[in-house]
Amino acid sequence: MEGKYRELHRLQLWRQLDRSWDPRRVFPVEQPLYLEIGFGNGEYLLRQAVDRPEHNFLGIEMHWGSVRRCLRRLAQAQSQNVRILQMDAHVAVRYLLPSQSIEKFVALFPCPWPKRDHERFRLFSTEFMGQLNRICRQGGLVVTDHRGLMEFARQQVAGSGLTLEVIETEARYNTKYERRWSGQGQEIFFELHYRPEAVSSYQMVPEVSVRTLTLDSFDPENVVLEGCLEGIVVQFRQHLYDPKREVFMALTTVIEDHLNQTFWIEAARKEGQWHIRPALGGGFLPTLGVQRALELLQKAGQPR
Ligand SMILES: C[S@@+](CC[C@H](N)C(=O)[O-])C[C@H]1O[C@@H](n2cnc3c(N)ncnc32)[C@H](O)[C@@H]1O
């Protein structure tokens, strides 16, 4: 295990990032920043970083296995101009990445989600592209092997403030997935070139400052927690009570938009009152859903 991903400074722990986080400020040298979404094993990301030392690169990838492999590659190459966020790109573009902070994005062979009822997982919806238009100064490039995804992207581009030009191409990016499809005989791929046409009408989701709530009395041994399944989903999964310390903890899942967060809420008795707030240490993005979960716990504790 040792040596596989020893140099963790390239990994940005997004649950612990401030909402005013700016990816331009996390590199040793501030220089134009480029984004790769869904970098997989990171070979293209690393090649770009080595070939273009005058640029910085931010990679977003959802799966830890891929992030781990990429961190190992970056450590071996001692590359200093790459940082990585392990998170869903839908969440990054809505909640985290500041306007005009990035030059261009690239996404190579993204998951096509071919089944109809999985279309909602696709990137490149109007909203996603509108957010990328807000974030990236010069648009960007998607390369896909999948005609259905290309057509979806064409239908969705209107309203994002970007234009889309589709060019047929042959294999030329030399990534794991390109090699896979070429190896299976595919010869034609699609380059989707997005260029800015109008200022994006999409905004970053505004920051919510999560307030600690209080209760004068609370019966932690008999409380019945009820979540909420409509709109913002709140689910109380389990709870614990330490009578010595007078601390009650509820493991809570909140789902809103593309964001799914699981964290502990604590209700602790101090100076005659119960204080309800997210427990320290877990990390969470402060959202309306987090505040809603605190309110539901407060409501459950109020006399009926
Ligand atoms: C088909 S693979 C392509 C990987 C690489 N670009 C290549 O060409 O070999 C798609 C990658 O996108 C990542 N991915 C899928 N959805 C994502 C999302 N919403 N946010 C971030 N990464 C995502 C997957 O984990 C996977 O590594």
Side-chain angles (χ1 to χ4, degrees):
M1 183 65 76
E2 206 202 340
K4 279 199 169 170
Y5 52 91
R6 261 184 308 179
E7 295 176 27
L8 286 174
H9 66 277
R10 295 183 184 85
L11 182 63
Q12 301 286 297
L13 298 175
W14 69 271
R15 285 175 200 277
Q16 282 155 28
L17 297 177
D18 206 85
R19 288 292 299 280
S20 60
W21 179 75
D22 188 330
R24 288 167 293 194
R25 306 270 138 72
V26 297
F27 294 87
V29 182
E30 210 171 310
Q31 43 191 9
L33 179 59
Y34 289 76
L35 170 68
E36 181 171 352
I37 298 169
F39 55 72
N41 64 18
E43 56 189 318
Y44 184 78
L45 186 63
L46 177 59
R47 278 202 304 269
Q48 291 292 301
V50 170
D51 291 350
R52 294 160 55 191
E54 72 286 8
H55 293 154
N56 289 332
F57 295 86
L58 178 68
I60 300 180
E61 166 60 54
M62 210 150 66
H63 288 123
W64 170 244
S66 301
V67 167
R68 185 171 58 80
R69 280 187 285 279
C70 181
L71 284 172
R72 188 175 52 201
R73 274 177 204 277
L74 295 171
Q76 282 164 351
Q78 298 187 351
S79 146
Q80 297 308 326
N81 57 342
V82 183
R83 292 293 179 273
I84 284 176
L85 280 168
Q86 186 202 348
M87 67 189 299
D88 184 339
H90 288 108
V91 177
V93 303
R94 300 190 90 224
Y95 293 89
L96 206 59
L97 295 175
S99 298
Q100 302 286 292
S101 55
I102 286 167
E103 299 302 319
K104 276 185 158 183
F105 68 87
V106 66
L108 300 179
F109 306 94
C111 302
W113 296 106
K115 289 190 187 153
R116 200 154 212 13
D117 58 340
H118 286 168
E119 265 188 16
R120 66 185 187 283
F121 298 128
R122 282 179 171 168
L123 300 166
F124 324 118
S125 66
T126 308
E127 193 212 340
F128 189 80
M129 298 320 301
Q131 290 288 7
L132 280 179
N133 185 21
R134 174 184 70 75
I135 295 159
C136 299
R137 295 167 189 274
Q138 303 172 44
L141 171 68
V142 177
V143 184
T144 181
D145 49 286
H146 195 268
R147 187 173 286 277
L149 186 64
M150 178 273 281
E151 280 163 2
F152 171 84
R154 265 196 174 137
Q155 288 155 14
Q156 293 286 318
V157 70
S160 67
L162 294 165
T163 60
L164 174 56
E165 182 189 8
V166 178
I167 299 176
E168 289 192 7
T169 182
E170 57 204 17
R172 53 189 286 237
Y173 292 91
N174 193 17
T175 69
K176 178 177 162 188
Y177 276 81
E178 188 184 71
R179 292 191 296 274
R180 175 178 290 183
W181 305 132
S182 301
Q184 291 177 13
Q186 183 156 352
E187 288 175 359
I188 304 236
F189 300 93
F190 304 101
E191 282 181 352
L192 282 56
H193 294 267
Y194 287 95
R195 296 187 183 92
E197 176 186 50
V199 174
S200 175
S201 58
Y202 288 86
Q203 306 290 323
M204 196 152 123
V205 176
E207 183 160 6
V208 171
S209 76
V210 171
R211 286 172 299 114
T212 298
L213 304 179
T214 55
L215 274 173
D216 291 334
S217 67
F218 180 55
D219 181 359
E221 318 245 29
N222 295 304
V223 69
V224 177
L225 295 179
E226 277 175 30
C228 156
L229 292 176
E230 275 169 35
I232 295 173
V233 172
V234 177
Q235 224 184 338
F236 294 110
R237 304 163 75 101
Q238 57 164 297
H239 52 267
L240 314 163
Y241 179 56
D242 178 348
K244 269 200 199 144
R245 294 176 53 231
E246 293 189 298
V247 176
F248 173 89
M249 304 274 284
L251 183 63
T252 309
T253 293
V254 174
I255 305 171
E256 51 200 312
D257 306 319
H258 280 280
L259 183 58
N260 182 330
Q261 310 200 76
T262 296
F263 55 99
W264 288 91
I265 298 179
E266 77 169 26
R269 194 163 137 87
K270 241 193 313 177
E271 292 159 6
Q273 269 197 324
W274 293 86
H275 297 256
I276 302 169
R277 61 182 172 205
L280 278 179
F284 63 94
L285 247 172
T287 60
L288 285 178
V290 171
Q291 189 69 49
R292 177 98 183 96
L294 300 188
E295 286 163 8
L296 286 172
L297 201 152
Q298 184 191 44
K299 190 167 155 219
Q302 279 162 348
R304 289 172 185 245

